[in-house]
Amino acid sequence: KSEDDGATASNTPASAGAQVVQSADPEAATCTLEQFGGTKFDLKTAKVGFSQSEKEANPFRIAETKSIKDEAAEQGITNLTTTNANSQFNKQISDVEQMIDSGVQLLVIAPLNSDGWDSVFAKASAKKVPIITIDRKINADPCKDYLTFIGSDFAEQGKRAADEMAKAMGNKGKVAILLGAPGNNVTTLRTSGFKDQIAKVAPDIQVVFEQTGNFAREEGQKVTEQLLQSNPDINGIYGENDEMALGAITALKGAGKKAGDVKVVSIDGTKGAVQAIVDGWASAVIESNPRFGPLAFETATKFLNGEPVGQDIIIEDRQYGTDNAKTDISSAY
Amino acid sequence: MALLEVNDVSKIFPGVRALDQVSFTLQPGQVHALVGENGAGKSTLIKVLTGVYQPDGGELRYQDAPAQFGTPMDAQQAGISTIYQEVNLVPLMSVAQNLFLGREPRTGLGLIDRKRMDREAREILTGYGVTTDVRRQLGTLALGAQQMVALARAVMVDAKVVIMDEPTSSLEPREVQTLFGVIRDLHARGIGIVYVSHRLDELYQICDTVTILRDGKLVHTGKLAALERIKLVSLMLGRDMAEVRREGATAFSGAATGDTDAPPVLRVRELNSRHKLHDVSFDVRPGEVVGLGGLLGAGRSETIKAIGGAYHLDSGDIQVDGKDLKKPTPVRAVEFGIAVQPEDRKAEGIVPGLSVRENIALAVLPRVSRFGFVSDSKVNEIVDRYIKRLRIKASSPDQAVGDLSGGNQQKVLLARLLATDPKVLLLDEPTRGIDVGAKAEVQSLIDELAAEGLGVVLVSSDAEELVEGSGRVVVLRDGVVVGTLTGNRVTTEDLMATIATEATREH
Amino acid sequence: MSTETVAARPLADAAKIKAWLPKYGVYAAIVLLVVYNIFFTPYFATWSNLRIQLIQVAPIVIVALGMALVIGTEGIDLSVGSVMALAAAFIPLYLGYGVVAAILVALLAGVAVGLINGILVARVGLQPIVATLALFVGGRGLAVVISEGKLVDIRNQDFLYLGSGDLLGIPVLVWIAALLVLVVGFVVRRTVFGRRLLAIGGNRPAAELAGLPVKRVLITVYVACAVLASIAGLLSVARIQSSDASSVGLLIELSAITAVVVGGTPLTGGKVRVLGTVAGALLMQLVIATMIKHNLQPSTTEMVQAVIILIAVYVARERKTR
Amino acid sequence: MTMGLASEPSAIVVEDVRKAERTDRIVGTIQRQGALAVLIVVVLIALATFPNFRSLDNAATILVAAAPPMLIALGMTFVIITGGIDLSVGSLYVLGGVLAAWASQYGILAAFLLPLAVCGAIGVANGLLVAYTRMAPFIVTLAALLGARGLMRAISSEGSNTYLVQNDAFRKLGNGSFLDIGYQVWLVAALVVIGMVVLTRSRFGSSVYAVGGSEDAASLMGVPVRRTKVWVYVLSGLLAGLAGAINAAKLGSGVTVLGTGMELDAIAAVVIGGTLLTGGAGTIAGTIAGVLLLGVIQNLINQVGNVNSNWQQVISGTFLALVVVAQTYLVRLRRVT
Ligand SMILES: Nc1ncnc2c1ncn2[C@@H]1O[C@H](COP(=O)(O)OP(=O)(O)OP(=O)(O)O)[C@@H](O)[C@H]1O
Ligand SMILES: Nc1ncnc2c1ncn2[C@@H]1O[C@H](COP(=O)(O)OP(=O)(O)OP(=O)(O)O)[C@@H](O)[C@H]1O
Ligand SMILES: [Mg+2]
Ligand SMILES: [Mg+2]
């Protein structure tokens, strides 16, 4: 995964920083077992599959997989299979298909991409396997192709980052965006959310520079070095994930800037980034919470009990700023 | 009526005028010898005739009409078949595929008819004395057999002209006779033949006309029979006839037998390698040239490579100067004072991209360096010495070896061997494909080296060279020593007789 | 006669350019790009800019040096990125024992990988691309396993000095890269090892028959390449001030191969152009920098890179030898 | 033709030649079937160990997943036999998928023709550059890798725009099946068979081997070397584009985040299948075994379940090395004796 990497992973107790569901609109669409057309089964003895999209090589993915596994153990689910697609989309598709073949009754998927799930849905719907997608949404029909989506609203994250950026820059100046990996809907939404909101709340802020840093620290650093060189008058840098922002901060230090000269806002909520706020280099960090386990299994249980569950379960993302960074750093991941 | 004709063609390569206004005419049924020293432009002329190169000037006429061949394919389709100098077949493909490449028999569906192809290939090749399984990879055949396949391929089609660029350089006497049979047959059918060879005997045996090139220029053309041998050589070399006359057939001064009482410098006992060598044993004394005789595939190259550590041995003892060379590898063989000159100069000898200097110094680098750093002065010393001694003709020591003529490449290779101060020289076809002048130089060099006390093992398919150069000849057949010729029995006749006697394999 | 000389003149000039371009084309391209940037890119002609470009290109240059050696033997090494990752993974684990210890362990990791590659190529006889593919796939996985997937911030100032310090006004990173260029250049030109390497690349059977220790040289070449890659890896860690085995050196094998080939070293072996390799890396760096400074999208950058590679290699291609 | 003099070879030579021939054939067979042998062993072990591996569904999933890589490896086999290499296939695969998804709004024919046309054209460019400028295939196709990916990004708003497949027939082709086996597997099987016939039984196939075996010799023997080279890259481009298209049909969209490293997988499969990277030798049967072997290994790692993703990579790498080393030794063993 890439939208979030972070500093040193920690063993924060699961309770700290647990996901909170946004208070749902009562009108919002829900889904029941009956609507979905599945049959009830006992979650504890059921075969459950979890498909991870990217290597567990960064805090977000590590926390995400760990949360699913821990919660499954907590719930007494003994038959959990996990696969990892190593960022290869076709592999994720065949991983999931293979799990369906082997008779899983519930699927939790962290999709690598939002489109391209036709063949999986065809297979899953034939066997009526409910699919919960976490962290990225799939463009398909909820309660039909899949059960529900649990995750953050990426556009909203971009908007909130824009708000924080506007605040930090005093509504004027020039800002650069470090884009995530191209072709990723996380990138797309975090970009459009940010730009739309900036245009709305602070029309005097110009976005003068957009280059991809591929969600990686080193590339964030390299791109920032180049950009500081050719646009010395930049006042703000928006990193679409913490890693690139941390790379940017290293570049700022290398260019002889002082903390606060250039405002940095990013998304994820890793320890390193929150620490950067404490140190004065970053202005704000919008969290994207990876601890999907409890919510995913709670939703599944409700669903299997015949209760309605939301078709879009959007979690409340916290944010860190100069006011709360010091106190809340322990709940960063 | 001329079959194939060029008028005033030139071909310029960067830095070389390979052909300078050369004219050449081939009549139907003519067997036309094309001769000249290495680098005289023979191969280039052939390549111009057959569409490999486009001439930089001049005119090409085929069957009395102006012609232009864009590719070898065009020439082939027009009826000009060529056996190029280097065996130009595809080693990884089967014998039959090589024979039929580009003109495979096809079934009604347009697919290659493999059965028919194999059957026809077998029939055709039997006529050339090649009785191998035609589905075998061509590369596993001996060079001579490969050359016969190339010949069969060239003659197979309905050709009006057949061009052969040094077809016999890797052929054995038996195969040469097969080839001559084919040529006579073609001649009888009115097909024009261009024949390139450095072996003068052959030319007088089968050619009627001769064209001589020197440095890219035409120096003579006319009836061959009218041209005295000495005259021919002097025209080729551009030297005085009297000077040429003094030198004789080979430049060997006499059989180098060495000191008959001295202990052998190389002692080889019971070399065995599966299917290839069976209990091969012989000795070489200091100052002695021991010839290895035999037909192609007799195992001469294998013997030499095995001693040099480059061929797998199942068992056998090798001693150099009384010291046991156990488990030979090329590295250890060099340490023991064994130097091997491989048969295939291009593939296993020179490093074409490196300079003359680096090629010569290659095997002695540790000796010309301190703490791993090469000392230029020491290298130059050695390189200068051998360039002088072997009369290597290069524009400078920094010239890439790949750009030298064949003879000079061979000398560079010899220089590399000599630089290692070897006790034993193993030479596999040292004069193959090099011209008369260079050949003589190499031969007298071998003499000189033996006189200095080196033990030399000489492999040559040129019976005359073998007999005149060696003090003793060990004859191999099918990996078995079938006889040793010594003293006044070292003659071509005895060599042939020994090769021909029915061997009884003892093991 | 006089007409001939007149006609020959332009011909000779064209031929001269033809002979000159393959050798100096890369440098010419760099000059062109720099001139363009001086006119069209603000703040380009500054020391700080030069500094940044040199710092950024340094790790690629170091990896490319090793790659050039391997390519000189007619090989290729896909595992360099994984080696960088392994080096990165070991640094934080051993930094506690001191900077020297950490660096040594990282270099040892390189030696180990190089030995495996070298043995697979020289002794087992695998084709280099396949032999190194195995570690390309597995090496990074191992690196991430070793680092437990953690990204570790590095705070050791001595170590960070390697990545961000200056010596006589020039970044330490650049000094190190320059030094390695000199060493590799010297090795290729002046040492027994260098000449053997070229001979092996030029004609391996001949080198074997000439009694060169072919296997040993090949193994050493792969070890050298891997060690250079691990140096690049640890310098990258020092520069980004954190160790992330999952991302350091990603896809660097392609950048390195591109630099080597654009710099005029043929993939067919037997020749190594050390300065050309540096120039090749610098050219690609300048292309990317120009694209970024003009805020162009990745799509454009990639297509322009493709075109530049093709032109550079077309111009530098070997004349056909006999 | 009965020309020249037939001379009777001695009995000993004949016997030796026979032995050598037998050895040759065994070496050839092992070289060709080494991957198949390993594949069979792996599958047998898997069948015995993992109950889920036995299901027909699982087999079908493996085959469907192997379909696009198979097409790419098929093209790669031709290229590698000529002594070349094609690094651009991964990019062409993504590009083909994006183009197919976009073109599907104009019907199923367009969905196939557009990717074939564009990827074929890039293949032509690769081929022309390799054949006529003597630039190394590695570098030409590396440039094409970058260029094709750039093009793909340019037509998909830097990859953020995923075109959905608009044509039901096209989508059906991706997900429907005949006799429980996906249409695309049938399609690929048919193409593979055609590929085999072309390679082994056509003059073009002979030319491919000849060019890879010895380019100079081939050209002197009248083989159209350049034309052959151009064609293999065109073929490779077309097959990569087609692979992209059928994958788009299966996924129902032109996913832009695919294909990185795909070229290396294809090369690995081809080499595991016994094709020499130096050219001149190789078989499609071996390539099939190579592709399936990689697919089965992937499947097995999943069957074990819960293997940490990083260990998965270590295992894949080790396995790759083992297979190739084993194969090399098998071949060598035969050669020595
Ligand atoms: N492709 C080429 N590029 C540059 N120079 C060449 C090329 N081919 C041949 N030459 C040069 O042209 C001259 C004639 O070469 P050619 O091969 O025709 O000689 P040859 O008479 O066939 O010699 P040999 O008896 O050694 O075969 C030589 O000086 C050679 O170095
Ligand atoms: N006319 C032929 N037809 C078929 N096979 C042949 C023929 N001549 C040789 N061979 C095969 O070629 C193989 C060895 O050839 P090779 O050139 O290695 O032998 P060699 O003794 O080294 O030759 P040379 O004596 O010319 O150096 C033998 O196994 C033999 O079976
Ligand atoms: Mg010639
Ligand atoms: Mg021989």
Side-chain angles (χ1 to χ4, degrees):
Chain A
K1 126 46 180 206
S2 359
E3 72 245 53
D4 342 54
D5 310 16
T8 322
S10 59
N11 292 321
T12 331
S15 58
Q19 289 180 337
V20 182
V21 181
Q22 278 181 4
S23 51
D25 177 352
E27 301 287 292
T30 58
C31 185
T32 63
L33 190 58
E34 203 182 332
Q35 272 173 283
F36 184 77
T39 46
K40 187 175 161 60
F41 55 85
D42 181 9
L43 196 55
K44 283 195 181 24
T45 55
K47 213 169 167 183
V48 177
F50 170 56
S51 165
Q52 178 58 284
S53 53
E54 296 175 5
K55 277 194 272 187
E56 284 94 8
N58 65 58
F60 186 93
R61 291 299 168 195
I62 294 171
E64 188 174 57
T65 303
K66 184 167 181 293
S67 157
I68 297 281
K69 284 188 178 169
D70 289 354
E71 186 62 18
E74 184 97 339
Q75 300 265 329
I77 297 168
T78 47
N79 208 344
L80 175 77
T81 325
T82 62
T83 59
N84 190 308
N86 288 323
S87 302
Q88 293 184 321
F89 187 64
N90 274 355
K91 178 167 186 314
Q92 183 163 39
I93 299 295
S94 53
D95 283 351
V96 174
E97 289 183 358
Q98 194 189 333
M99 288 197 283
I100 298 174
D101 290 340
S102 72
V104 295
Q105 291 156 286
L106 171 72
L107 270 169
V108 180
I109 300 178
L112 184 65
N113 196 59
S114 303
D115 293 295
W117 291 87
D118 280 19
S119 61
V120 166
F121 292 149
K123 237 181 182 151
S125 67
K127 293 195 175 183
K128 287 289 165 207
V129 182
I131 296 175
I132 298 175
T133 82
I134 59 172
D135 113 59
R136 283 180 202 170
K137 193 168 172 171
I138 293 179
N139 298 330
D141 298 335
C143 204
K144 174 167 165 283
D145 293 329
Y146 67 95
L147 174 57
T148 178
F149 160 68
I150 307 176
S152 310
D153 180 337
F154 297 129
E156 180 64 25
Q157 291 173 342
K159 282 187 184 156
R160 288 166 66 194
D163 289 337
E164 292 304 315
M165 183 62 89
K167 227 192 298 172
M169 290 173 63
N171 291 330
K172 59 174 191 295
K174 291 184 175 172
V175 67
I177 304 181
L178 299 177
L179 301 170
N184 192 306
N185 69 326
V186 181
T187 303
T188 315
L189 291 173
R190 285 183 182 169
T191 310
S192 60
F194 182 84
K195 281 163 80 172
D196 293 352
Q197 187 73 357
I198 283 284
K200 209 186 296 166
V201 302
D204 287 342
I205 293 183
Q206 275 177 282
V207 176
V208 294
F209 187 90
E210 285 174 62
Q211 281 287 314
T212 181
N214 280 314
F215 285 134
R217 188 181 290 202
E218 181 169 13
E219 289 195 50
Q221 182 180 348
K222 278 187 171 178
V223 169
T224 308
E225 284 168 350
Q226 301 280 11
L227 108 91
L228 288 175
Q229 176 60 43
S230 55
N231 304 53
D233 51 347
I234 284 282
N235 322 95
I237 294 177
Y238 164 47
E240 291 188 351
N241 80 344
D242 286 351
E243 275 304 292
M244 293 189 292
L246 289 170
I249 289 172
T250 314
L252 289 172
K253 290 177 183 166
K257 303 272 183 192
K258 287 193 194 58
D261 283 358
V262 175
K263 310 296 177 200
V264 177
V265 174
S266 65
I267 299 177
D268 260 3
T270 61
K271 273 235 158 57
V274 179
Q275 182 64 44
I277 303 180
V278 175
D279 299 343
W281 283 95
S283 306
V285 173
I286 313 297
E287 182 181 57
S288 193
N289 196 327
R291 303 174 191 90
F292 287 97
L295 202 49
F297 288 114
E298 184 193 315
T299 307
T301 312
K302 262 165 75 182
F303 172 74
L304 290 172
N305 285 339
E307 295 170 41
V309 297
Q311 294 187 351
D312 260 336
I313 304 175
I314 305 303
I315 57 172
E316 190 110 39
D317 285 319
R318 289 174 305 170
Q319 71 185 52
Y320 303 91
T322 39
D323 48 337
N324 67 345
K326 238 189 198 119
T327 48
D328 287 2
I329 191 163
S330 60
S331 56
Y333 56 92
Chain B
M1 189 208 82
L3 189 52
L4 183 64
E5 178 176 9
V6 289
N7 295 316
D8 295 337
V9 289
S10 295
K11 177 72 197 169
I12 301 165
F13 292 116
V16 199
R17 200 170 264 269
L19 290 179
D20 193 357
Q21 306 207 322
V22 172
S23 299
F24 172 84
T25 310
L26 180 70
Q27 305 292 343
Q30 200 176 49
V31 185
H32 196 137
L34 185 60
V35 297
E37 276 196 288
N38 284 133
K42 306 179 293 291
S43 300
T44 308
L45 177 59
I46 288 173
K47 289 184 178 172
V48 167
L49 292 177
T50 57
V52 179
Y53 297 145
Q54 302 309 315
D56 293 320
E59 182 204 28
L60 176 62
R61 294 174 69 82
Y62 181 54
Q63 293 185 319
D64 284 332
Q68 198 191 355
F69 303 124
T71 63
M73 189 63 154
D74 294 345
Q76 246 176 56
Q77 274 163 355
I80 303 180
S81 279
T82 315
I83 308 168
Y84 294 95
Q85 182 166 8
E86 305 87 27
V87 177
N88 267 299
L89 297 170
V90 186
L92 286 173
M93 293 176 85
S94 80
V95 174
Q97 281 172 322
N98 268 288
L99 203 54
F100 283 96
L101 188 63
R103 45 177 185 252
E104 294 89 348
R106 290 194 279 196
T107 63
L109 289 169
L111 299 178
I112 295 173
D113 186 345
R114 287 232 208 99
K115 283 224 178 72
R116 205 175 114 202
M117 189 169 88
D118 289 349
R119 194 183 57 236
E120 290 182 4
R122 209 171 305 127
E123 285 165 9
I124 292 170
L125 288 177
T126 316
Y128 294 87
V130 180
T131 53
T132 179
D133 179 352
V134 295
R135 284 167 299 176
R136 240 175 101 177
Q137 280 188 357
L138 180 100
T140 61
L141 258 56
L143 272 180
Q146 296 186 26
Q147 190 75 19
M148 295 315 269
V149 175
L151 174 66
R153 182 183 155 86
V155 174
M156 229 170 80
V157 286
D158 238 353
K160 299 194 177 64
V161 176
V162 176
I163 300 177
M164 305 179 181
D165 196 352
E166 298 200 37
T168 54
S169 65
S170 53
L171 292 191
E172 280 300 330
R174 179 182 58 169
E175 289 164 330
V176 173
Q177 289 316 313
T178 310
L179 173 71
F180 288 179
V182 175
I183 292 177
R184 285 187 194 109
D185 189 81
L186 293 171
H187 164 76
R189 284 167 36 202
I191 290 167
I193 295 161
V194 180
Y195 189 90
V196 179
S197 178
H198 289 295
R199 299 184 182 172
L200 301 186
D201 290 341
E202 290 177 355
L203 301 182
Y204 282 95
Q205 242 176 303
I206 55 157
C207 298
D208 42 43
T209 322
V210 66
T211 292
I212 304 174
L213 296 182
R214 188 169 69 230
D215 294 336
K217 293 193 188 69
L218 177 71
V219 292
H220 176 88
T221 186
K223 283 267 167 274
L224 181 60
L227 200 63
E228 216 186 321
R229 210 181 244 249
I230 297 284
K231 177 74 186 157
L232 176 72
V233 173
S234 80
L235 280 171
M236 270 167 65
L237 300 183
R239 275 194 272 161
D240 200 35
M241 270 176 59
E243 193 182 324
V244 176
R245 187 164 287 145
R246 253 178 275 126
E247 288 172 3
T250 67
F252 287 115
S253 57
T257 48
D259 178 356
T260 32
D261 298 330
V265 62
L266 175 71
R267 191 165 175 277
V268 176
R269 285 295 173 273
E270 302 186 349
L271 300 187
N272 278 295
S273 183
R274 263 225 177 137
H275 304 315
K276 288 290 188 186
L277 303 177
H278 310 278
D279 294 334
V280 173
S281 306
F282 61 89
D283 288 339
V284 182
R285 287 185 297 267
E288 185 182 31
V289 179
V290 174
L292 281 190
L295 294 183
L296 207 68
R300 298 167 299 178
S301 295
E302 283 80 359
T303 304
I304 281 191
K305 283 199 173 170
I307 299 171
Y311 189 82
H312 174 80
L313 272 182
D314 297 317
S315 66
D317 293 319
I318 298 165
Q319 276 185 2
V320 182
D321 251 356
K323 276 184 295 185
D324 271 326
L325 172 57
K326 291 211 185 73
K327 288 195 189 298
T329 62
V331 181
R332 284 169 51 72
V334 170
E335 277 168 17
F336 270 69
I338 298 177
V340 180
Q341 176 248 305
E343 182 176 14
D344 190 338
R345 177 171 68 232
K346 239 188 198 160
E348 306 186 306
I350 57 164
V351 185
L354 293 189
S355 65
V356 170
R357 183 201 317 273
E358 283 169 291
N359 266 282
I360 292 178
L362 195 57
V364 291
L365 287 173
R367 210 183 305 153
V368 294
S369 55
R370 290 178 75 188
F371 312 116
F373 302 128
V374 178
S375 149
D376 274 347
S377 58
K378 283 189 194 165
V379 169
N380 286 338
E381 194 183 302
I382 291 185
V383 170
D384 289 345
R385 179 157 83 235
Y386 286 104
I387 285 184
K388 267 199 210 99
R389 168 146 189 212
L390 304 191
R391 288 185 293 274
I392 295 171
K393 275 183 226 117
S395 63
S396 94
D398 294 318
Q399 192 178 9
V401 166
D403 293 342
L404 297 182
S405 75
N408 281 305
Q409 292 183 359
Q410 188 73 322
K411 288 186 196 167
V412 170
L413 191 50
L414 283 174
R416 178 203 296 165
L417 305 187
L418 296 179
T420 63
D421 281 338
K423 300 192 178 84
V424 184
L425 266 182
L426 310 178
L427 307 174
D428 197 351
E429 307 282 2
T431 61
R432 169 174 293 176
I434 66 180
D435 66 56
V436 195
K439 201 173 196 161
E441 290 185 49
V442 169
Q443 287 166 342
S444 50
L445 182 72
I446 295 172
D447 256 358
E448 252 174 79
L449 294 167
E452 285 168 21
L454 259 74
V456 179
V457 178
L458 175 67
V459 173
S460 176
S461 317
D462 184 339
E464 207 156 89
E465 177 176 272
L466 194 67
V467 166
E468 290 191 17
S470 317
R472 201 150 53 93
V473 176
V474 175
V475 183
L476 288 174
R477 187 172 55 215
D478 298 329
V480 182
V481 178
V482 290
T484 303
L485 310 177
T486 49
N488 52 13
R489 286 197 58 226
V490 185
T491 61
T492 335
E493 292 70 35
D494 280 299
L495 177 62
M496 292 304 156
T498 316
I499 289 174
T501 48
E502 197 53 44
T504 44
R505 220 165 173 181
E506 336 124 31
H507 62 268
Chain C
M1 198 63 223
S2 63
T3 48
E4 209 180 299
T5 37
V6 172
R9 238 210 139 103
L11 199 93
D13 282 357
K16 227 184 237 167
I17 291 175
K18 251 191 212 153
W20 181 86
L21 263 184
K23 268 203 170 140
Y24 302 104
V26 207
Y27 306 102
I30 291 180
V31 171
L32 281 181
L33 202 55
V34 168
V35 169
Y36 167 85
N37 273 305
I38 287 175
F39 285 108
F40 297 102
T41 309
Y43 310 104
F44 187 85
T46 58
W47 279 116
S48 60
N49 183 49
L50 179 66
R51 188 187 157 87
I52 284 168
Q53 307 311 334
L54 289 180
I55 290 179
Q56 291 199 358
V57 83
I60 297 176
V61 165
I62 296 173
V63 174
L65 286 175
M67 189 68 79
L69 294 181
V70 172
I71 288 178
T73 66
E74 210 177 350
I76 204 140
D77 188 350
L78 296 181
S79 71
V80 283
S82 297
V83 176
M84 287 178 71
L86 277 170
F90 279 116
I91 292 290
L93 292 183
Y94 289 87
L95 216 43
Y97 300 97
V99 174
V100 176
I103 291 177
L104 281 182
V105 172
L107 295 184
L108 271 181
V111 172
V113 172
L115 276 177
I116 295 173
N117 285 337
I119 287 170
L120 286 179
V121 171
R123 293 205 174 270
V124 181
L126 295 189
Q127 312 199 45
I129 197 171
V130 195
T132 56
L133 187 61
L135 271 157
F136 167 80
V137 176
R140 187 173 296 275
L142 193 62
V144 182
V145 168
I146 289 168
S147 65
E148 296 170 28
K150 288 181 197 161
L151 185 148
V152 186
D153 286 310
I154 308 284
R155 301 240 152 66
N156 184 317
Q157 287 307 318
D158 294 337
F159 186 73
L160 292 185
Y161 176 74
L162 292 176
S164 51
D166 269 12
L167 190 69
L168 306 177
I170 292 174
V172 176
L173 201 59
V174 176
W175 280 116
I176 296 176
L179 184 74
L180 289 172
V181 169
L182 285 180
V183 169
V184 172
F186 185 77
V187 164
V188 169
R189 281 169 168 261
R190 314 278 326 182
T191 65
V192 173
F193 171 74
R195 307 227 171 156
R196 286 178 166 167
L197 179 162
L198 295 179
I200 291 169
N203 187 348
R204 182 162 167 187
E208 248 155 35
L209 275 176
L212 304 198
V214 172
K215 290 178 182 165
R216 202 176 72 210
V217 173
L218 279 179
I219 292 175
T220 316
V221 167
Y222 281 89
V223 169
C225 179
V227 166
L228 284 166
S230 61
I231 293 177
L234 66 92
L235 290 179
S236 289
V237 170
R239 196 175 104 74
I240 47 184
Q241 314 194 346
S242 65
S243 152
D244 179 3
S246 66
S247 77
V248 65
L250 218 50
L251 291 182
I252 199 160
E253 59 284 345
L254 292 186
S255 313
I257 295 169
T258 307
V260 173
V261 176
V262 166
T265 302
L267 284 170
T268 43
K271 194 166 143 193
V272 173
R273 291 186 58 197
V274 175
L275 274 185
T277 298
V278 177
L282 210 54
L283 177 63
M284 297 321 288
Q285 169 69 24
L286 282 177
V287 171
I288 294 169
T290 310
M291 296 290 146
I292 292 181
K293 285 174 195 286
H294 289 266
N295 204 15
L296 292 172
Q297 297 294 314
S299 56
T300 320
T301 311
E302 280 170 340
M303 289 190 281
V304 170
Q305 269 179 288
V307 171
I308 293 204
I309 293 175
L310 287 179
I311 294 176
V313 177
Y314 178 80
V315 163
R317 91 210 123 108
E318 287 281 275
R319 273 182 302 129
K320 194 169 183 175
T321 49
R322 277 175 294 145
Chain D
M1 278 206 115
T2 47
M3 240 186 264
L5 318 167
S7 66
E8 279 303 307
S10 75
I12 298 166
V13 170
V14 171
E15 186 200 304
D16 251 22
V17 169
R18 292 248 169 81
K19 260 187 209 153
E21 277 157 17
R22 214 177 311 131
T23 317
D24 271 5
R25 223 164 302 139
I26 296 171
V27 168
T29 314
I30 295 275
Q31 208 174 0
R32 244 169 294 151
Q33 310 307 339
L36 191 62
V38 180
L39 177 64
I40 290 171
V41 171
V42 171
V43 168
L44 286 179
I45 294 174
L47 285 174
T49 325
F50 301 104
N52 283 328
F53 189 82
R54 276 170 232 160
S55 78
L56 272 179
D57 282 350
N58 192 53
T61 300
I62 293 178
L63 288 180
V64 169
M70 186 60 234
L71 284 185
I72 290 180
L74 177 64
M76 189 71 84
T77 309
F78 278 86
V79 173
I80 291 183
I81 292 177
T82 64
I85 202 156
D86 190 350
L87 299 181
S88 68
V89 288
S91 293
L92 292 181
Y93 173 67
V94 198
L95 179 63
V98 172
L99 289 170
W102 179 80
S104 68
Q105 56 184 313
Y106 303 108
I108 186 166
L109 203 61
F112 277 109
L113 288 185
L114 184 68
L116 287 178
V118 175
C119 296
I122 295 176
V124 171
N126 280 339
L128 289 176
L129 286 171
V130 168
Y132 287 90
T133 67
R134 299 189 310 274
M135 287 157 80
F138 192 98
I139 208 74
V140 168
T141 57
L142 178 63
L145 176 158
L146 284 170
R149 202 167 56 198
L151 186 59
M152 180 277 290
R153 292 209 168 129
I155 60 173
S156 63
S157 331
E158 297 309 313
S160 66
N161 201 345
T162 306
Y163 300 104
L164 298 183
V165 170
Q166 308 282 347
N167 180 299
D168 284 337
F170 187 58
R171 199 187 297 250
K172 185 95 201 318
L173 201 119
N175 285 309
S177 61
F178 173 66
L179 300 178
D180 275 349
I181 294 175
Y183 288 137
Q184 36 179 325
V185 177
W186 292 108
L187 174 70
V188 171
L191 288 174
V192 164
V193 170
I194 294 175
M196 282 174 154
V197 172
V198 167
L199 189 60
T200 57
R201 300 293 299 276
S202 76
R203 285 193 181 165
F204 171 70
S206 293
S207 305
V208 168
Y209 281 108
V211 168
S214 170
E215 197 176 321
D216 291 344
S219 97
L220 293 178
M221 286 163 91
V223 171
V225 173
R226 292 176 167 175
R227 200 177 343 137
T228 305
K229 281 195 183 174
V230 174
W231 270 111
V232 292
Y233 288 94
V234 173
L235 203 62
S236 176
L238 287 173
L239 286 170
L242 182 63
I246 63 170
N247 193 48
K250 172 178 142 97
L251 301 182
S253 52
V255 176
T256 57
V257 295
L258 297 172
T260 37
M262 196 118 179
E263 59 285 343
L264 293 178
D265 285 349
I267 294 168
V270 171
V271 171
I272 289 174
T275 296
L276 295 179
L277 274 175
T278 40
T283 62
I284 289 171
T287 300
I288 300 173
V291 172
L292 290 180
L293 195 55
L294 293 182
V296 168
I297 294 167
Q298 213 44 275
N299 192 280
L300 286 185
I301 291 178
N302 285 348
Q303 298 286 356
V304 175
N306 294 330
V307 181
N308 174 294
S309 53
N310 303 307
W311 278 114
Q312 285 188 21
Q313 301 264 272
V314 180
I315 295 168
S316 308
T318 314
F319 199 90
L320 183 65
L322 287 182
V323 169
V324 187
V325 171
Q327 233 218 328
T328 312
Y329 273 111
L330 272 177
V331 173
R332 192 158 324 153
L333 206 70
R334 293 290 161 173
R335 197 160 285 164
V336 170
T337 53

